[in-house]
Amino acid sequence: MKHHFSFESKPRRKATPVETPTGAPGAPKRPQRPRSARAHDAVLTATSALMREDGIPAITIDHIASRSGVSTATIYKHWPCKAAIIAEAFGRDTAKAVALPDTGHPIDDLVTYAADLLTYYTSSKGALFGQLLATCATEPQAAPYFHEFFLMPRRATLEPCWERAAEAGLTRPGVDAATATDVLMGPLAFRLLSGHGSLAPDEVRKLVEYALHGLLAPGTHRDS
C-alpha cells in the first residue's frame, strides 16, 4: 500500500527528553559525588557561556577555570582536554534547544526535528557546530566525548520515531534506525558543513522529503 506523508505542521505533543547513552567502550566516566557533580555542571555552564561570547577557538582551560570557579586540576580530573569539555557542553546545549516532537505522526515528527535541528545549527548558538568539529579534529582525546555526549544522543533521539514509523507500516521492512538516520541527516550535515546550498526551512524540508521518498520515479528499477 502506498503511503502519502504530509509535511505540514501539526500540533505537537510534549516532547520527551532523551537521556545521554552511557556504557560505550572508552566512554568518559561521570562524577558520582554531589560536590563533583556541582563542579562538573559549573564547568559545562561556564564553557557554554564562553562559547557564545568568544567562540570556541578563543577558549582555554584557564578561561574555563576562571569563569566556573573550578580549579584546572579538578577540570583535568574530568576531561582530558578543552575539546572534550566543549563537546559535552555543546551536546547538552543542543539537547535543551531541540527536542523531538511526538504528535502521533512519526514521519512528520522526523521532518520537524530535522528542520528544527538545522535551524538551530544555523543560529548564532548552533553555528558553533563547525568550530566544534574543527577543534575535535585537532584534539583526538575528545573523540569519545564527542561520540557519547553529542553524536549518540542525536541518533538515540530518532530511534523511537523510526520504530513508531515501522510499526505503522510507513517504512520498508528491514530498514534499521541507524542507517535510516544516516540517510536522513547525512545530506543536511553535508550542506551545513560545505555551505554550498541554502538551509532555509523550505530547503531543509525538501532535502528530508528526498531522503524519505527517494529520487527515482515510482516503478523505476535499478537496471532500467
Side-chain angles (χ1 to χ4, degrees):
M1 181 173 63
K2 185 177 180 180
H3 297 277
H4 297 277
F5 304 142
S6 168
F7 292 91
E8 297 179 357
S9 59
K10 292 183 172 63
R12 301 186 188 184
R13 296 178 188 171
K14 184 178 180 181
T16 303
V18 177
E19 295 182 359
T20 302
T22 58
K29 295 182 179 179
R30 295 199 180 114
Q32 300 296 324
R33 293 177 299 174
R35 184 175 180 181
S36 293
R38 287 195 296 271
H40 196 95
D41 181 72
V43 169
L44 294 179
T45 300
T47 302
S48 293
L50 289 170
M51 286 192 295
R52 292 191 298 269
E53 294 169 9
D54 304 323
I56 290 175
I59 297 176
T60 66
I61 294 292
D62 286 340
H63 290 155
I64 295 172
S66 177
R67 185 67 170 260
S68 66
V70 178
S71 70
T72 55
T74 298
I75 290 174
Y76 278 117
K77 287 181 181 179
H78 295 284
W79 296 275
C81 59
K82 177 188 79 170
I85 308 173
I86 292 169
E88 184 170 350
F90 189 72
R92 187 176 74 162
D93 293 345
T94 303
K96 291 178 180 178
V98 187
L100 178 70
D102 182 3
T103 64
H105 301 275
I107 298 299
D108 294 319
D109 292 341
L110 286 167
V111 174
T112 299
Y113 179 76
D116 288 350
L117 192 61
L118 266 292
T119 297
Y120 177 69
Y121 286 160
T122 54
S123 70
S124 58
K125 294 180 180 180
L128 296 166
F129 177 62
Q131 295 179 23
L132 169 63
L133 292 181
T135 302
C136 287
T138 60
E139 298 187 51
Q141 289 175 301
Y145 292 79
F146 177 82
H147 185 270
E148 179 174 353
F149 295 108
F150 180 80
L151 181 62
M152 294 313 294
R154 307 290 81 72
R155 299 178 68 84
T157 295
L158 294 177
E159 286 182 10
C161 205
W162 287 119
E163 291 171 359
R164 291 195 293 270
E167 291 170 359
L170 299 176
T171 59
R172 294 187 310 183
V175 172
D176 64 276
T179 302
T181 296
D182 287 342
V183 172
L184 176 67
M185 301 304 299
L188 301 175
F190 177 73
R191 182 169 289 195
L192 175 68
L193 295 175
S194 68
H196 72 279
S198 171
L199 283 170
D202 288 347
E203 287 296 316
V204 170
R205 288 177 177 271
K206 184 192 298 183
L207 287 171
V208 171
E209 184 174 358
Y210 285 166
L212 291 172
H213 295 282
L215 299 173
L216 301 181
T220 302
H221 298 286
R222 277 185 285 180
D223 57 355
S224 299

